Amino acid sequence: MLDGSVVEVKNQPARTHVTLERFLIEAGHHLIGVTIKDSHIREKAQCIVIGIERDEQLITNPDPTIDFRENDIVIVAGETERIKDFLIRVDELSNQS
């Protein structure tokens, strides 16, 4: 399972960690129908989408023009704290929908 995997980055200060996190696009989620590019995940969280689990298939290195769909599990990689902050914001935005 990818959740919570933490890897120390070589040649970086010990406090910098890269992690893989997964989050579910549930019904009513504000990202449904939004492309990876238009979601601005890279800019907002400074992380990258490395995969999407969709319909029991894994889409690796997804094209930025692919849109998020209900029940997608999005896999992102980046610094642990930035991803945690982003996931909190994602949950807050989805709860406003």
Side-chain angles (χ1 to χ4, degrees), residues 2-3 20-26 29 31-32 34 36 39 41 47-54 57-59 62 66-77 83 86-87 90:
L2 297 176
D3 290 10
L20 300 178
E21 292 289 339
R22 301 167 57 198
F23 65 94
L24 175 65
I25 304 290
E26 296 177 319
H29 198 286
L31 288 177
I32 292 174
V34 177
I36 294 172
S39 72
I41 289 174
C47 65
I48 57 171
V49 176
I50 62 167
I52 298 174
E53 294 177 26
R54 176 181 290 166
Q57 294 185 338
L58 177 62
I59 303 167
I66 195 168
D67 61 323
F68 294 113
R69 298 182 188 167
E70 184 177 334
N71 296 318
D72 279 353
I73 298 174
V74 181
I75 306 165
V76 295
I83 291 175
F86 173 74
L87 292 176
V90 164

Side-chain angles (χ1 to χ4, degrees), residues 2-9 14 16-21 80 84:
L2 297 176
D3 290 10
S5 298
V6 178
V7 179
E8 188 169 334
V9 179
T16 302
H17 289 87
V18 173
T19 188
L20 300 178
E21 292 289 339
T80 305
K84 286 179 184 176

